[in-house]
Amino acid sequence: SSSSPSSSTPSTPPPCPPELLRIAERDGRFSVAQFGALGQQHCHVNCTLDKTGDKCRQTICQDDAVGVRDAIAMSLRCGVSEIWFPPPRPAAIGAQYVFNSTVLIDRGPLLLTGDRGASVGFAGSPPQAAIYNRGDGPAFLFNYSIDDGVVLRNLNIGGGHIAVKIQGSSGIVFDNCILQANSDGNWTAFGANVRLGSDNAALVVV
């Protein structure tokens, strides 16, 4: 008996769901809120008692990174390149997106964008969407295979030791962004700390 040869044709991604296709055609972009990332700091303190009767407190937050990853993955299927981080209502308080994990970006073209706020001195129009990764890694990791370019616009991005890490990638543009990292309890200066080859800076390029 003979077996049929295996096919080398790459698998085709599943089609865009009809409801998301309508949004893509109407708006030309996806909102991370449509995928569960609400930017409202959904956190609570979990209190338990240890063996000595002392309270142990642990802050647990919804991982908005999950919704951001889903939005990026679905944008590939639906032909959308813009991912929007909207302000919550009321918009005056600004959006606070909490990550517990890193968002890997390994394709383009892609635009990750928030909204601009009112002009404040020399800072111009400050970003209204703040993203902070409470985990160990960066909020965003660009990894090797970016060819068509990625733009981050109107975003305030922070991390425990790294805000953004770029590995072997090019064509990544920051437009009106603030990058911050908390090293040993001290925040680095608003995106000015760019370090090559280190894992302890607001922006790391390797």
Side-chain angles (χ1 to χ4, degrees), residues 18-105:
E19 64 276 13
L20 291 180
L21 184 60
R22 287 192 292 270
I23 292 173
E25 292 174 345
R26 182 191 69 203
D27 301 336
R29 67 183 182 183
F30 284 152
S31 163
V32 296
Q34 293 162 342
F35 298 86
L38 301 179
Q40 295 177 347
Q41 285 186 305
H42 283 173
C43 302
H44 67 275
V45 177
N46 183 33
C47 297
T48 59
L49 294 177
D50 62 16
K51 293 180 179 179
T52 65
D54 293 330
K55 285 189 175 181
C56 301
R57 295 179 177 270
Q58 181 184 17
T59 302
I60 300 174
C61 299
Q62 171 184 308
D63 189 3
D64 282 333
V66 175
V68 174
R69 279 193 291 267
D70 289 346
I72 293 173
M74 198 59 68
S75 70
L76 176 63
R77 292 169 52 181
C78 299
V80 172
S81 60
E82 181 176 342
I83 305 297
W84 179 44
F85 293 77
R89 294 180 174 86
I93 65 174
Q96 299 288 330
Y97 293 90
V98 178
F99 288 9
N100 295 326
S101 56
T102 296
V103 172
L104 170 66
I105 299 176

Side-chain angles (χ1 to χ4, degrees), residues 97-100 130-134 139 156-160 180 182 187:
Y97 293 90
V98 178
F99 288 9
N100 295 326
I131 300 168
Y132 181 70
N133 185 10
R134 300 178 69 251
N156 184 343
I157 306 171
Q180 303 179 72
N182 188 359
W187 285 97

Side-chain angles (χ1 to χ4, degrees), residues 79-189:
V80 172
S81 60
E82 181 176 342
I83 305 297
W84 179 44
F85 293 77
R89 294 180 174 86
I93 65 174
Q96 299 288 330
Y97 293 90
V98 178
F99 288 9
N100 295 326
S101 56
T102 296
V103 172
L104 170 66
I105 299 176
D106 58 2
R107 71 164 189 89
L110 198 61
L111 167 63
L112 305 178
T113 182
D115 289 340
R116 291 179 182 266
S119 178
V120 180
F122 72 90
S125 301
Q128 290 296 290
I131 300 168
Y132 181 70
N133 185 10
R134 300 178 69 251
D136 294 330
F140 293 103
L141 170 62
F142 296 90
N143 194 23
Y144 294 110
S145 57
I146 303 292
D147 295 322
D148 299 318
V150 175
V151 177
L152 294 91
R153 178 175 295 153
N154 302 330
L155 297 175
N156 184 343
I157 306 171
H161 295 284
I162 310 170
V164 175
K165 186 171 184 177
I166 301 173
Q167 292 186 161
S169 303
S170 61
I172 299 169
V173 177
F174 296 91
D175 177 15
N176 194 46
C177 289
I178 296 173
L179 306 182
Q180 303 179 72
N182 188 359
S183 173
D184 299 324
N186 297 311
W187 285 97
T188 59

